[in-house]
């Protein structure tokens, strides 16, 4: 089974084709597009056309948006989600509409629940979906990368460290949920010290909020090996083991690996941006009509009614098509019509076969006419050079070349025979290719390579062609 993935990040889009065999997934191919600052839609459309991506159904992963964390009172899931959305909206920039992925991940001792919200502007999501639609790519699900990072460390509380484009990226993972991200730009010899200080702050913050103790730090480094001075300083100052993040396919970046691995996760539906967007649109529609209690049943009734209407329409079309098929079947199964059809088809096939053979013969006729064959005159020229001292011991003909072997008394006679053959002007070329002594030692065997002239076509009387040499 094949699955398609589109991964969008700053200035780049990656397409990956994944093949699933015996429960394991393998990346068959990846294609990368560097996105320009302007005309991104045109670039994506060209990319889709070049790699035949039009018509595929893919999962979309976006490396954008922001991550927020909050503590909300204990409540039922639907009410908890609304409380979290209200709380996180107050902590976010005003004047923008957000699509949020709300995920509770831990209970608080104060009878509350810790939640995270991965947020993306609704306008930004609409622009991305529009570009994909114009490129002919159908999107099955849309996810934010930050909500997928937890799939890389489901069992442990850990910090994932990565270096990209001159910056360090930090992700705090707890209960298979990314709850904190940091971007650190360092330069010079203080790189390890700055990174160590920032990780230490994350450890203190995690301890103050009652988080699970961090057991290790995992690193992944797309730009090369992890700097040894930085590794040494982290292990000495923090006292935590530093291990490489294990990925199923080491050829992929950890971001793309997290995105692909996320699809197996049981909570992926709750993290789908498209699903959240539809819920937001339904709530907005209910508020517009001021029917908070009846809006959803009304919408469901309309949807069910439209389904029944479409089903009745399709059933009627099927009945009409079936009646036409029955009428056509009765017409076709008539024995007289079947016999007539078979005779006409056989006649057409025979005529086509004859025309094909005639065309092939017409194409080969000039070549056959020009083909050189041995003629009596070719042998007649040899008569003067033959005598008691000369006789033919070998003769072969291939293409337009005649190989002649003569038995001569000595090697001095070979040039004389060659000159005689050239003076006849019967052949195009004559060459003495060699000679050797016979077994009795009293004569020689001389070989001559003779090139015959090709036939020439001339017009005869009545426009007919006659062949001449």
């Amino acid at each position: 089974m094949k699955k398609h993935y589109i991964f969008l990040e700053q200035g780049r889009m990656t397409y990956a084709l994944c093949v699933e065999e015996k429960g394991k997934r393998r990346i068959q191919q990846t294609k990368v597009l560097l996105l320009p600052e302007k005309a991104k839609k045109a670039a994506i459309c060209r990319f889709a056309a070049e790699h035949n991506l039009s018509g595929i159904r893919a999962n979309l992963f976006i490396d954008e948006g922001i991550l927020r964390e909050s503590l909300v009172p204990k409540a039922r899931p639907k009410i908890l989600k609304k409380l979290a959305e209200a709380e996180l909206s107050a902590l976010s920039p005003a004047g923008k509409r957000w699509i949020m992925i709300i995920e509770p991940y831990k209970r608080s001792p104060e009878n509350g629940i810790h939640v995270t919200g991965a947020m993306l502007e609704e306008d930004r999501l609409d622009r991305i979906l529009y570009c994909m639609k114009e490129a002919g790519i159908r999107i099955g699900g849309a996810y934010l990368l930050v909500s997928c990072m937890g799939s890389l460390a489901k069992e442990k509380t850990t910090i994932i460290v990565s270096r990209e484009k001159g910056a360090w990226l930090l992700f705090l993972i707890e209960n298979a949920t990314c709850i904190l991200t940091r971007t650190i730009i360092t330069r010079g010899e203080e790189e390890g010290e700055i990174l160590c200080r920032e990780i230490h702050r994350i450890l203190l913050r995690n301890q103050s909020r009652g988080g699970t103790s961090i057991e290790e730090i995992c690193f992944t480094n797309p730009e090369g090996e992890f700097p040894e001075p930085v590794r040494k300083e982290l292990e000495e100052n923090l006292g935590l083991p530093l291990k490489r993040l294990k990925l199923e396919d080491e050829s992929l970046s950890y971001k793309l690996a997290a995105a692909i691995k996320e699809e197996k996760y049981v909570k992926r539906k709750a993290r789908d941006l498209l699903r959240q967007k539809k819920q937001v649109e339904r709530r907005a529609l209910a508020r517009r009509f001021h029917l908070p209690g009846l809006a959803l049943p009304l919408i469901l009734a309309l949807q069910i009614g439209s389904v029944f209407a479409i089903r009745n329409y399709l059933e009627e079309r099927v009945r009409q098509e079936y009646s036409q098929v029955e009428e056509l079947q009765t017409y076709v199964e008539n024995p007289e019509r079947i016999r007539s059809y078979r005779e006409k088809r056989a006649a057409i096939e025979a005529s086509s076969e004859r025309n094909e053979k005639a065309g092939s013969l017409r194409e080969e006729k000039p070549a056959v006419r020009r083909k050189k064959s041995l003629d009596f005159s070719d042998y007649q020229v040899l008569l003067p050079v033959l005598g008691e001292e000369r006789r033919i011991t070998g003769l072969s003909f291939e293409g337009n070349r005649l190989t002649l072997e003569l038995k001569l008394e000595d090697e001095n006679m070979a040039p004389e025979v060659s000159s005689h053959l050239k003076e006849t002007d019967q052949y195009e070329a004559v060459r003495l290719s060699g000679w050797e002594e016979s077994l009795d030692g009293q004569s020689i065997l001389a070989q001559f390579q003779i090139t015959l002239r090709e036939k020439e076509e001339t017009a005869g009387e009545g426009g007919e062609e006659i062949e001449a040499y």
Side-chain angles (χ1 to χ4, degrees), residues 48 53 109 113 128 149 158 223-224 256 284 288-289 291 305 310 317 371 381 395 429 463:
L53 303 183
I113 297 179
I128 293 175
M149 288 299 299
T158 184
E223 295 183 354
L256 190 56
R288 182 179 302 174
F289 287 99
L291 296 173
I310 294 173
R317 286 296 303 272
K371 183 72 175 179
V381 175
L395 183 68

Short mmCIF file of all heavy atoms in Angstrom, two decimals, residues 48 53 109 113 128 149 158 223-224 256 284 288-289 291 305 310 317 371 381 395 429 463:
data_model
loop_
_atom_site.label_atom_id
_atom_site.label_comp_id
_atom_site.label_asym_id
_atom_site.label_seq_id
_atom_site.Cartn_x
_atom_site.Cartn_y
_atom_site.Cartn_z
N ALA A 48 4.23 19.89 -9.04
CA ALA A 48 3.26 18.79 -9.12
C ALA A 48 3.17 18.25 -10.54
O ALA A 48 3.04 17.03 -10.75
CB ALA A 48 1.89 19.27 -8.65
N LEU A 53 2.16 14.55 -9.64
CA LEU A 53 1.49 14.51 -8.35
C LEU A 53 0.02 14.90 -8.44
O LEU A 53 -0.70 14.80 -7.45
CB LEU A 53 2.20 15.45 -7.35
CG LEU A 53 3.70 15.19 -7.11
CD1 LEU A 53 4.23 16.13 -6.07
CD2 LEU A 53 3.93 13.75 -6.70
N PRO A 109 -2.10 18.55 40.39
CA PRO A 109 -2.50 18.28 41.78
C PRO A 109 -3.59 19.23 42.28
O PRO A 109 -4.33 18.90 43.22
CB PRO A 109 -1.19 18.48 42.56
CG PRO A 109 -0.11 18.29 41.55
CD PRO A 109 -0.67 18.78 40.25
N ILE A 113 -6.24 20.53 34.80
CA ILE A 113 -5.67 19.72 33.71
C ILE A 113 -4.75 20.61 32.87
O ILE A 113 -5.14 21.72 32.47
CB ILE A 113 -6.78 19.12 32.82
CG1 ILE A 113 -7.64 18.16 33.64
CG2 ILE A 113 -6.17 18.39 31.64
CD1 ILE A 113 -8.77 17.53 32.86
N ILE A 128 -2.73 27.76 2.02
CA ILE A 128 -2.01 26.52 1.73
C ILE A 128 -2.92 25.52 1.03
O ILE A 128 -2.55 24.90 0.02
CB ILE A 128 -1.45 25.92 3.03
CG1 ILE A 128 -0.35 26.83 3.60
CG2 ILE A 128 -0.89 24.52 2.79
CD1 ILE A 128 0.17 26.39 4.95
N MET A 149 5.44 16.00 17.13
CA MET A 149 6.76 15.69 17.69
C MET A 149 6.69 14.65 18.80
O MET A 149 7.64 13.92 19.04
CB MET A 149 7.41 16.97 18.21
CG MET A 149 7.88 17.91 17.12
SD MET A 149 9.13 17.17 16.05
CE MET A 149 10.41 16.85 17.23
N THR A 158 11.59 13.63 27.68
CA THR A 158 12.91 13.90 27.13
C THR A 158 12.93 15.25 26.44
O THR A 158 11.89 15.87 26.20
CB THR A 158 13.31 12.79 26.13
OG1 THR A 158 14.63 13.02 25.67
CG2 THR A 158 12.38 12.79 24.93
N GLU A 223 22.75 18.88 10.04
CA GLU A 223 23.88 19.58 9.44
C GLU A 223 25.20 18.86 9.67
O GLU A 223 26.26 19.38 9.37
CB GLU A 223 23.96 21.00 10.01
CG GLU A 223 22.76 21.87 9.64
CD GLU A 223 22.90 23.28 10.16
OE1 GLU A 223 23.87 23.55 10.89
OE2 GLU A 223 22.06 24.11 9.80
N GLY A 224 25.19 17.67 10.23
CA GLY A 224 26.42 16.94 10.47
C GLY A 224 26.44 16.34 11.87
O GLY A 224 25.43 16.24 12.53
N LEU A 256 10.31 15.10 9.23
CA LEU A 256 9.53 14.27 8.31
C LEU A 256 9.25 12.90 8.94
O LEU A 256 8.18 12.33 8.75
CB LEU A 256 10.27 14.11 6.99
CG LEU A 256 9.49 13.47 5.84
CD1 LEU A 256 8.20 14.24 5.59
CD2 LEU A 256 10.33 13.42 4.58
N ALA A 284 -19.61 28.70 13.94
CA ALA A 284 -19.85 30.04 13.42
C ALA A 284 -21.20 30.12 12.73
O ALA A 284 -21.92 31.12 12.84
CB ALA A 284 -18.73 30.43 12.45
N ARG A 288 -24.41 32.48 13.74
CA ARG A 288 -24.96 33.42 12.76
C ARG A 288 -26.48 33.35 12.74
O ARG A 288 -27.17 34.38 12.62
CB ARG A 288 -24.39 33.10 11.37
CG ARG A 288 -24.87 34.04 10.29
CD ARG A 288 -24.24 33.68 8.95
NE ARG A 288 -22.78 33.71 9.03
CZ ARG A 288 -21.98 33.32 8.03
NH1 ARG A 288 -22.52 32.85 6.91
NH2 ARG A 288 -20.68 33.38 8.17
N PHE A 289 -27.05 32.16 12.86
CA PHE A 289 -28.50 32.02 12.84
C PHE A 289 -29.13 32.12 14.24
O PHE A 289 -30.35 32.01 14.38
CB PHE A 289 -28.89 30.67 12.20
CG PHE A 289 -28.69 30.63 10.73
CD1 PHE A 289 -27.56 30.04 10.19
CD2 PHE A 289 -29.61 31.21 9.87
CE1 PHE A 289 -27.36 30.00 8.81
CE2 PHE A 289 -29.41 31.17 8.50
CZ PHE A 289 -28.30 30.57 7.97
N LEU A 291 -29.26 30.09 16.63
CA LEU A 291 -29.98 28.87 17.02
C LEU A 291 -28.98 27.89 17.60
O LEU A 291 -28.68 26.85 17.01
CB LEU A 291 -30.68 28.25 15.80
CG LEU A 291 -31.79 29.09 15.16
CD1 LEU A 291 -32.25 28.41 13.89
CD2 LEU A 291 -32.96 29.27 16.12
N GLY A 305 -31.03 14.62 4.35
CA GLY A 305 -31.96 14.80 3.23
C GLY A 305 -31.25 14.83 1.89
O GLY A 305 -31.73 14.24 0.92
N ILE A 310 -29.80 12.33 -3.29
CA ILE A 310 -28.77 11.85 -4.22
C ILE A 310 -28.92 10.36 -4.45
O ILE A 310 -28.79 9.87 -5.59
CB ILE A 310 -27.37 12.18 -3.65
CG1 ILE A 310 -27.16 13.71 -3.62
CG2 ILE A 310 -26.28 11.51 -4.46
CD1 ILE A 310 -25.89 14.13 -2.93
N ARG A 317 -31.21 6.68 -12.19
CA ARG A 317 -30.26 6.61 -13.31
C ARG A 317 -29.85 5.16 -13.57
O ARG A 317 -29.71 4.75 -14.72
CB ARG A 317 -29.02 7.44 -12.99
CG ARG A 317 -29.24 8.94 -13.09
CD ARG A 317 -29.57 9.36 -14.52
NE ARG A 317 -28.55 8.96 -15.45
CZ ARG A 317 -27.48 9.68 -15.75
NH1 ARG A 317 -27.32 10.87 -15.17
NH2 ARG A 317 -26.58 9.27 -16.62
N LYS A 371 19.87 -5.24 -54.71
CA LYS A 371 20.70 -6.27 -54.10
C LYS A 371 21.57 -6.94 -55.17
O LYS A 371 21.10 -7.36 -56.22
CB LYS A 371 19.79 -7.31 -53.43
CG LYS A 371 20.53 -8.40 -52.70
CD LYS A 371 21.15 -7.86 -51.45
CE LYS A 371 21.81 -8.98 -50.64
NZ LYS A 371 22.43 -8.48 -49.43
N VAL A 381 34.54 -13.36 -66.47
CA VAL A 381 35.78 -12.59 -66.40
C VAL A 381 36.93 -13.44 -65.87
O VAL A 381 38.10 -13.20 -66.15
CB VAL A 381 35.55 -11.35 -65.50
CG1 VAL A 381 36.84 -10.59 -65.30
CG2 VAL A 381 34.51 -10.45 -66.12
N LEU A 395 35.59 -20.50 -53.09
CA LEU A 395 34.75 -19.41 -53.58
C LEU A 395 33.62 -19.19 -52.54
O LEU A 395 32.95 -20.13 -52.13
CB LEU A 395 34.16 -19.76 -54.94
CG LEU A 395 33.30 -18.67 -55.61
CD1 LEU A 395 34.18 -17.50 -56.01
CD2 LEU A 395 32.59 -19.25 -56.84
N ALA A 429 35.98 -3.22 -56.95
CA ALA A 429 37.30 -3.21 -56.33
C ALA A 429 37.82 -4.63 -56.27
O ALA A 429 37.05 -5.59 -56.11
CB ALA A 429 37.24 -2.62 -54.92
N GLY A 463 7.47 2.65 -69.53
CA GLY A 463 7.61 3.10 -68.14
C GLY A 463 8.05 1.98 -67.22
O GLY A 463 8.18 2.20 -66.03
#
